[in-house]
Every structure is written in C-alpha cells, then in structure tokens.
Amino acid sequence: MDAEDDLFRPPPKRPYQPVEAQLRIPAEGLRATLALLQRAGQLESGLFWYGPRDAVGNGQVQYIAAPRQRMSWGNYHVSPAALAEIVHRLPDGWKPLAQVHSRPGQRVEHSNYDDKMLSSRRALSLVFPFYGRTNTVFPQGVGIHEWQIDCWYLLDDNLAARRVIVAEGPLTVEDLR
Ligand SMILES: [Zn+2]
C-alpha cells in the first residue's frame, strides 16, 4: 500500500465538541517542524511533539523529534522500537502532545491509514500539505485532528486556531532519521 490518499473514511457520527485546552508551541518549533518535513524531500515523513501537559490538558511543546522511519512518496512508517528510542529519553512527566506528518498534496484530512497508525489518541494529529512546503499563516492549510469518543475529527480553521497556538518557550529539536 503506497498511497494513503486512496483510502477515504466515513464521516463522524456526531459533531466535534470544542475543548478549552490549548496546545502551545514556540514559533521556532513551527519553523523546525517545516524544516524537518522539507528535509525529507519528496517523501512523507512523521515527527512527534513532546512536552509537559497540565491537569486540565494544556500542553507546551518543548521537544520535537523525527524518529528513525521508513519513508516513501505516499506514506511513512515508524517502528515501535524507533518510537521507544525517543520516548525512553523523555524527562519524567512529558507526554506525546502531537503526532505530525506530511502529505504530497493539498489534502490534509486523515486517511484510513492514519486512523490505524496513530500511536496515541490523547495526542493531537497534525497533517502538513505539500511535504511541508507551505507558507500560509499557521494553522491555515494544516489538518489538525483530535480524537473524541470513537473517531478522529478534522478541526475547522477557527477551532484549529484556538486549539493550537504559538507561545514562546524552551525547545529542543532532534533528527534521528
Ligand atoms: Zn496521512
């Protein structure tokens, strides 16, 4: 299976319920995310955003990692062992806050493949178009997904802009590919 875009999924059974919690990422983290995705060339690639999450669910991205992975033009795969390499090094209490991946074209809604491959349903899932070669104002054009009850919801631009916001803070970036 090469082209995840071939697989469409059914619409949700109920509307997304907006949440108050915010995921905060430094502007430098957004730039680093695009740079990591672009570095993969004409290949899809996956990244993870990690950091602390408070009691009401607000997260602060402090660590961005590109794990070892298999990349192709139309999908990517991270083995459990490659993911464990990163997770084992996280400071106590840090969580996976978002899983990020690129797509060849403009379409940024999850595929069935994404629904199956996502490693954590407590984290958000972000899909960047055009292999990360985009210069729109974040999060325009980026597919931000959140899991609720039984499906991954694609947030509209208004909800997305309230769910993931740019806020300064310390950041570490690592590329293990
Ligand atoms: Zn995908």
Side-chain angles (χ1 to χ4, degrees):
M1 208 284 295
D2 264 333
E4 56 163 309
D5 267 359
D6 291 347
L7 301 174
F8 286 86
R9 59 198 190 117
K13 296 190 193 92
R14 59 189 77 77
Y16 172 78
Q17 298 300 314
V19 298
E20 294 294 319
Q22 292 180 322
L23 178 58
R24 305 185 182 111
I25 178 163
E28 181 192 352
L30 285 176
R31 287 192 292 273
T33 294
L34 291 176
L36 285 165
L37 296 176
Q38 290 169 14
R39 199 177 294 165
Q42 302 293 313
L43 300 173
E44 283 197 20
S45 190
L47 317 172
F48 292 84
W49 292 355
Y50 296 96
R53 183 164 53 209
D54 69 19
V56 291
N58 296 301
Q60 174 75 40
V61 178
Q62 295 195 26
Y63 176 46
I64 298 176
R68 287 188 300 115
Q69 60 193 273
R70 181 172 49 70
M71 301 184 282
S72 83
W73 71 271
N75 68 23
Y76 73 99
H77 180 74
V78 178
S79 71
L83 193 56
E85 278 176 7
I86 292 176
V87 172
H88 286 160
R89 295 187 300 177
L90 294 177
D92 281 349
W94 282 23
K95 307 289 184 194
L97 300 176
Q99 182 160 350
V100 174
H101 78 281
S102 54
R103 277 283 181 68
Q106 190 170 12
R107 183 170 175 270
V108 291
E109 183 165 3
H110 265 194
S111 61
N112 277 320
Y113 181 77
D114 294 327
D115 283 350
K116 283 196 219 90
M117 292 304 293
L118 267 283
S119 62
S120 169
R121 289 176 171 170
R122 294 208 58 200
L124 298 181
S125 170
L126 279 72
V127 183
F128 285 75
F130 306 121
Y131 295 126
R133 287 169 187 77
T134 167
N135 51 12
T136 53
V137 177
F138 183 84
Q140 271 176 32
V142 177
I144 298 183
H145 301 75
E146 180 158 34
W147 176 267
Q148 285 183 346
I149 303 175
D150 61 0
C151 92
W152 283 100
Y153 288 84
L154 174 62
L155 278 56
D156 67 30
D157 280 351
N158 281 334
L159 290 167
R162 280 190 279 155
R163 190 70 182 84
V164 183
I165 63 167
V166 179
E168 293 315 310
L171 183 75
T172 303
V173 179
E174 269 188 299
D175 189 355
L176 302 173
R177 292 172 298 184

